Amino acid sequence: MTAQSSGRTPSSQTPQPRAASSQKRPPEKYVTVVATIATLGGLLFGYDTGVISGALLFMSDDLGLTPFTEGLVTSSLLVGAALGALLGGRLADAYGRRRTLLGLAVVFAIGSLGTALAPDVSTMVVFRVVLGLAVGGASSTVPVYIAEMSPARRRGRLVTQNDLMIVTGQLLAYVSNAGIDAVWGGHGTWRWMLAIATVPAVALWVGMLLVPESPRWYASKGRFGEALDVLRRVRAAGDVDAEMEQIRQTATADTSAGSLRDLAVPWVRRLVLLGMLLAVIQQITGVNTIMYYAPTILRTTGLGDSAALTATIANGVVSVLATIVGMILLGRARRRRMLLVGQAGITASLALVGLSFALFFHEVDGALVGNVPGASYVVLFFMLTFLCFQQGSISPVTWLMLSEIFPMKLRGIGLGLAAFANWTINFGVTLAFPVLLSAIGGTWTFALFACVNLAMIVPALRFVPETKGRTLEQLEAGFRGGQSA
């Protein structure tokens, strides 16, 4: 790696826009405002991944979907997301977190309008990929931006706020799907379901114009004056000097520009592999089969379309409440322990969903019929139990740790690689799920997921470190020195 100097001084840079009232707010509140604006990217992430669950029920007839093309339309977003995660991470490291999010807001709007107006499956798939570029870019950029703006003692709460916005976006998608169906109903309503996402995309673009760049990104480029200026806006006066010194020492410890070549460094490579492991653990749970296909699953159990859409709202409500609980627990519990408890809980929940299909349903002329009244709601109950463990522990811990473990100069690239693994596994699971459900039924599909997740407890126990209570710079120094943190 060749050392390079930025050759820039703060005075030579275009000043970042200031929120007009930022100096009047206490720094703690201003950080919350900044994080909230950035998490509009998470809201879009959630809405655009959740809305397809209801839209599929009506899109299938209009576009002539088969089980395979249904999986293709749903999973095509994930192909774009995998590419977007890689691209977004590199752009965030090269051009800044703020500028990257501004560009992603535009891509969100284009993708949302394109899917809403799509006349056929091919066009739908193309714009779902475009939309996925924005979703993936947001998944690798928003957590990094928030983590770098947050003080250590609030990092867990603020980064997890992005998870809350993701599940809130999914809840809004479920509610709007059911509302649009109730008011208008019939064919074509799916276009309105998809088009609504343009509104938060515009809000994200406007909001990001009003917030500053990450101080740690400035420092990684040798722009310490601008880094100090941002820290003074987001930290209490007594905390600025000590944190700035830590940032300066970390930035000057390695003056090379971060790139994929750094994967040749053993400790960096270990962290990237750890990040990819965390992403695999989160996605192999099959959480997005529940979030994307909940109405489809419930319809196979005998519920009508409207009833399935309404019942799916419960998924969104439980996800939001569980994420709030997870945010509280992150401030009190050890992160590694939360991950392991969550993994055990979702394994049991998946097994119970599969057992419910076996015990409470039988097949008549190719369709499932409940053995007892309300059998569909037994399946829904265990799906909700699954979401309690997933959204209350595994998801918030995963995205928080991914925002923490990578070194300053490679934070965007590292999280981008982990998010690429996340979306790649998500794609495979999402594409395969409707085919598996059709071919082997609910019992064996969910039993398969339970067995895979039982096996994932072993690498989680063996390789995942503890990161609670340490600054990003302390974590980097520990990993660089070979500590497990």
Side-chain angles (χ1 to χ4, degrees), residues 258-329:
S259 72
L260 293 175
R261 290 191 299 272
D262 289 305
L263 295 179
V265 180
W267 72 273
V268 173
R269 185 168 60 250
R270 283 196 301 271
L271 290 182
V272 171
L273 291 174
L274 170 61
M276 297 177 79
L277 171 64
L278 286 168
V280 170
I281 288 173
Q282 192 220 16
Q283 281 302 321
I284 208 68
T285 61
V287 57
N288 286 310
T289 63
I290 303 295
M291 302 310 286
Y292 301 160
Y293 293 118
T296 303
I297 295 168
L298 293 174
R299 187 168 62 174
T300 66
T301 67
L303 286 184
D305 288 351
S306 295
L309 281 175
T310 303
T312 303
I313 295 175
N315 281 3
V317 172
V318 168
S319 292
V320 169
L321 294 176
T323 302
I324 293 172
V325 172
M327 292 172 68
I328 295 171
L329 290 176

Side-chain angles (χ1 to χ4, degrees), residues 41 44-46 48-49 76-90 92 100-101 104 107-108 128-143 162 292 399 412 415-424 426:
L44 283 157
F45 175 160
D48 286 320
T49 54
S76 56
L77 180 144
L78 309 176
V79 174
L83 297 174
L86 286 177
L87 182 61
R90 299 203 68 173
T100 299
L101 287 172
L104 290 173
V107 181
F108 267 121
R128 286 280 290 174
V129 171
V130 171
L131 194 57
L133 292 173
V135 170
S139 72
S140 64
T141 306
V142 173
N162 188 53
Y292 301 160
W399 288 108
L415 207 153
L417 288 168
F420 174 79
N422 174 88
W423 292 111
T424 301
N426 193 345

Side-chain angles (χ1 to χ4, degrees), residues 83-403:
L83 297 174
L86 286 177
L87 182 61
R90 299 203 68 173
L91 290 174
D93 277 350
Y95 299 105
R97 291 56 162 124
R98 174 181 168 274
R99 192 178 299 177
T100 299
L101 287 172
L102 280 168
L104 290 173
V106 175
V107 181
F108 267 121
I110 293 171
S112 297
L113 288 175
T115 55
L117 299 173
D120 51 43
V121 172
S122 298
T123 307
M124 173 63 72
V125 169
V126 168
F127 278 103
R128 286 280 290 174
V129 171
V130 171
L131 194 57
L133 292 173
V135 170
S139 72
S140 64
T141 306
V142 173
V144 167
Y145 179 71
I146 297 174
E148 292 185 339
M149 295 293 287
S150 304
R153 65 183 178 278
R154 298 189 64 206
R155 190 172 64 240
R157 181 70 60 88
L158 290 174
V159 172
T160 313
Q161 186 174 316
N162 188 53
D163 295 283
L164 179 60
M165 289 292 268
I166 291 171
V167 294
T168 299
Q170 290 171 332
L171 174 59
L172 289 175
Y174 301 149
V175 171
S176 67
N177 285 350
I180 289 171
D181 175 58
V183 174
W184 288 291
H187 300 300
T189 53
W190 59 271
R191 297 189 184 275
W192 290 105
M193 295 174 181
L194 300 177
I196 290 174
T198 56
V199 176
V202 173
L204 174 63
W205 187 82
V206 172
M208 291 309 299
L209 291 174
L210 304 176
V211 298
E213 181 54 81
S214 158
R216 288 173 169 87
W217 181 79
Y218 277 139
S220 73
K221 302 301 180 183
R223 296 161 64 173
F224 298 110
E226 287 157 293
L228 181 60
D229 180 63
V230 175
L231 274 183
R232 286 171 175 160
R233 298 168 63 188
V234 298
R235 297 289 186 273
D239 297 333
V240 172
D241 291 342
E243 185 167 346
M244 186 64 218
E245 183 57 29
Q246 279 191 346
I247 292 174
R248 187 188 301 274
Q249 289 177 2
T250 301
T252 55
D254 182 1
T255 58
S256 62
S259 72
L260 293 175
R261 290 191 299 272
D262 289 305
L263 295 179
V265 180
W267 72 273
V268 173
R269 185 168 60 250
R270 283 196 301 271
L271 290 182
V272 171
L273 291 174
L274 170 61
M276 297 177 79
L277 171 64
L278 286 168
V280 170
I281 288 173
Q282 192 220 16
Q283 281 302 321
I284 208 68
T285 61
V287 57
N288 286 310
T289 63
I290 303 295
M291 302 310 286
Y292 301 160
Y293 293 118
T296 303
I297 295 168
L298 293 174
R299 187 168 62 174
T300 66
T301 67
L303 286 184
D305 288 351
S306 295
L309 281 175
T310 303
T312 303
I313 295 175
N315 281 3
V317 172
V318 168
S319 292
V320 169
L321 294 176
T323 302
I324 293 172
V325 172
M327 292 172 68
I328 295 171
L329 290 176
L330 280 172
R332 301 176 182 179
R334 295 177 68 83
R335 290 160 193 175
R336 185 172 179 272
R337 183 176 300 170
M338 284 181 64
L339 183 70
L340 293 169
V341 169
Q343 191 69 21
I346 64 100
T347 299
S349 299
L350 287 167
L352 289 169
V353 172
L355 190 61
S356 297
F357 274 98
L359 295 179
F360 300 117
F361 295 91
H362 65 279
E363 190 171 312
V364 177
D365 296 328
L368 288 182
V369 177
N371 296 331
V372 295
S376 298
Y377 295 99
V378 176
V379 173
L380 177 62
F381 174 79
F382 288 122
M383 286 166 58
L384 297 179
T385 304
F386 167 92
L387 289 173
C388 286
F389 287 103
Q390 175 74 33
Q391 309 293 17
S393 59
I394 293 179
S395 288
V397 169
T398 297
W399 288 108
L400 175 56
M401 293 186 74
L402 289 178
S403 75

